[in-house]
Amino acid sequence: MNAAPKPETGMPTVVLVHGAFVDGSSWNGVIADLHRRGYPAIAVANPLRSVAGDAAYLRALVDSLSGPVVLAAHSYGGAVITEAADGAANVRALVYVASFSPDAGESVADLNARFPGSRLADNIQAVPIPVQDGSADMDQYVKQETYPDFFAPDVPRETAVVMAATQRPTAANTLTDSVTRAAWKSIPSWTLVTTQDLAIPPDLQRFLAQRAGSTTVEVDASHAVTVSQPAAVADLIDTAARATSR
């Protein structure tokens, strides 16, 4: 088995945070591209249980890394990096990919309701799950039968069908939990807006990017842009890394 290329001296570690309804493999094409450019990369297994818990999980990993870090997130993962990166001295840049970048006191659900165009609510299947204290919670999935056309219409259909079958569900409260800190206020950010997104309205993505003072690139892609256009995602991460190298 061939080992991943050794990173060039001084290059940041790119930490990739997936959102709901996918898993770390959604970054596979991006990671391959980053490796070709010499970047070390880690795709975090985001727990998708709560904003606070997911952010604490990510922050523990970030704090364990030596050297500079670029955090890149997709979808709900943007809320996680927004909370986790605040005060992290080694995080040089935030990259939001078809993603949320809430302010303190805002939730993903709050933001997604601000602009028309999201079809997320129409494509969710909720499944009751037990929790440790004996109460009940709800896991949310995208319906497998609508996943290819809603979530990943620009991904080859056979790939989208597999993504639907292997998706990671998210606890319902992850969408309603508010972030308490906004790292984009102190860390420079870059945003990739997906103009054909049916989950997060493109106008919302633009609004969030402008509010954060984020350097923005738009691509003609669906919400599943990390799979359909990994080179565009890797390009933006590379741009962010180079702009914040020191």
Side-chain angles (χ1 to χ4, degrees), residues 38-93:
Y39 290 97
I42 301 170
V44 177
N46 190 0
L48 304 178
R49 297 296 91 190
S50 70
V51 169
D54 297 348
Y57 182 90
L58 173 61
R59 180 60 178 266
L61 172 65
V62 169
D63 287 347
S64 76
L65 298 174
S66 59
V69 170
V70 171
L71 277 178
H74 176 245
S75 195
Y76 159 75
V80 177
I81 69 169
T82 295
E83 178 88 8
D86 186 61
N90 58 339
V91 176
R92 300 287 186 260

Side-chain angles (χ1 to χ4, degrees), residues 193-217:
V193 173
T194 41
T195 62
Q196 301 302 314
D197 202 313
L198 300 177
I200 305 177
D203 283 344
L204 172 58
Q205 296 179 47
R206 296 181 183 108
F207 163 76
L208 294 172
Q210 183 178 18
R211 183 177 68 174
S214 190
T215 302
T216 306
V217 172

Side-chain angles (χ1 to χ4, degrees), residues 8 20 54 59 61 66-67 80 102 125 144 161 181-182 185 199 223:
E8 297 176 17
D54 297 348
R59 180 60 178 266
L61 172 65
S66 59
V80 177
Q125 176 183 0
Q144 285 200 36
V161 168
R181 296 170 290 177
K185 292 182 177 181
H223 194 59

